[in-house]
Amino acid sequence: MSDHEVHAYGLRICKNSHPSMRRLKKEYGTPSIHGNKFWKSTFLLMDYLQEFPLEKGVRVLEVGCGYGLGGIFCSKTFDASLTSLDADDTVFPYLVHHAELNEVPVETWKCRYERVRKQDLAEFDIVIGADICFWDSMSLALFNLARRAGQAGVQRVIFTDPGRPPFREMAERAMERFDAEYTDWHVAHPHNTSGLVLDIAF
Ligand SMILES: C[S@@+](CC[C@H](N)C(=O)[O-])C[C@H]1O[C@@H](n2cnc3c(N)ncnc32)[C@H](O)[C@@H]1O
């Protein structure tokens, strides 16, 4: 393994110091809504899904995908078909690079998650997202996305977060309204991450 690459949960993940990532930065620029690196809440998601797996072949939508490793994990591990959504299309070259590196197909979709409609959500079984609830306005937007997902026939919505207040607010509202598990989660050495998982079942 090179110093510029991490191997975790069966995936290859490039650090921003990797020559390929430097090349992408030069060619496409830097993502602007914090999608400029791999965030460790995605390790929470992978670790949680190892313990509570998805069915094989499910249709996954990752929202706020950034480099997209959460969805790529689902594709690689559960043979899921994958659509990766982000408001900032500058993330997509980094996502596609990781999908190619890990040999999985991916569809990209530039959209804000608050604009995803019920008829769009009806195309998916599972919605996932890691570290996507960091501004106050995102709390209600993500709660509403989960509500629309349930109405559209999505089976599970799974979000992870390091524990930011807007996420906690969203998760508490979801606990009152839906059949949901809201859990502290820890990822052991060498990835060393702690945070929260919200797993809503419809
Ligand atoms: C902190 S990064 C997390 C990226 C990735 N999930 C990870 O864990 O590495 C947040 C991501 O959410 C995206 N984002 C922010 N607001 C969004 C919105 N309203 N709709 C869709 N994506 C959004 C950003 O562009 C960014 O890629």
Side-chain angles (χ1 to χ4, degrees):
M1 175 171 60
S2 97
D3 285 350
H4 303 296
E5 199 175 307
V6 176
H7 289 188
Y9 299 92
L11 300 183
R12 296 175 64 183
I13 305 170
C14 293
K15 296 182 185 173
N16 280 351
S17 59
H18 196 288
S20 62
M21 303 304 273
R22 289 175 178 275
R23 255 195 317 275
L24 291 173
K25 186 174 172 184
K26 211 164 164 189
E27 191 169 350
Y28 298 101
T30 304
S32 57
I33 328 175
H34 300 295
N36 58 325
K37 64 173 195 173
F38 168 81
W39 291 81
K40 279 189 153 192
S41 288
T42 293
F43 281 149
L44 297 172
L45 185 66
M46 295 174 187
D47 201 74
Y48 180 81
L49 288 176
Q50 255 186 6
E51 189 104 4
F52 300 101
L54 304 180
E55 282 170 31
K56 291 277 176 193
V58 284
R59 301 165 299 170
V60 169
L61 173 66
E62 177 169 19
V63 295
C65 63
Y67 287 10
L69 274 306
I72 290 170
F73 172 80
C74 295
S75 179
K76 189 107 186 155
T77 312
F78 308 117
D79 200 21
S81 65
L82 173 61
T83 301
S84 299
L85 172 151
D86 205 287
D88 176 7
D89 58 1
T90 316
V91 302
F92 293 142
Y94 299 87
L95 157 78
V96 168
H97 177 69
H98 278 100
E100 285 172 0
L101 198 62
N102 290 289
E103 301 174 322
V104 302
V106 61
E107 292 273 329
T108 59
W109 181 13
K110 182 185 178 183
C111 187
R112 301 185 64 82
Y113 44 63
E114 47 278 55
R115 299 186 71 99
V116 177
R117 303 165 307 171
K118 268 190 244 176
Q119 61 258 50
D120 302 318
L121 290 161
E123 303 295 317
F124 300 98
D125 304 305
I126 309 287
V127 174
I128 60 169
D131 206 342
I132 53 167
C133 196
F134 42 89
W135 292 331
D136 288 347
S137 61
M138 292 169 159
S139 188
L140 189 57
L142 284 167
F143 172 83
N144 284 335
L145 175 71
R147 187 172 45 76
R148 292 196 300 284
Q151 290 166 348
V154 168
Q155 297 161 15
R156 270 169 88 186
V157 173
I158 307 161
F159 294 143
T160 59
D161 193 82
R164 305 180 200 284
F167 180 88
R168 290 176 185 275
E169 188 190 316
M170 183 270 293
E172 279 156 24
R173 189 178 278 142
M175 287 293 290
E176 281 169 20
R177 181 72 183 268
F178 308 124
D179 174 14
E181 296 285 335
Y182 179 34
T183 330
D184 287 314
W185 204 260
H186 305 279
V187 175
H189 183 77
H191 306 304
N192 304 323
T193 299
S194 294
L196 300 167
V197 180
L198 176 69
D199 185 351
I200 307 171
F202 294 106

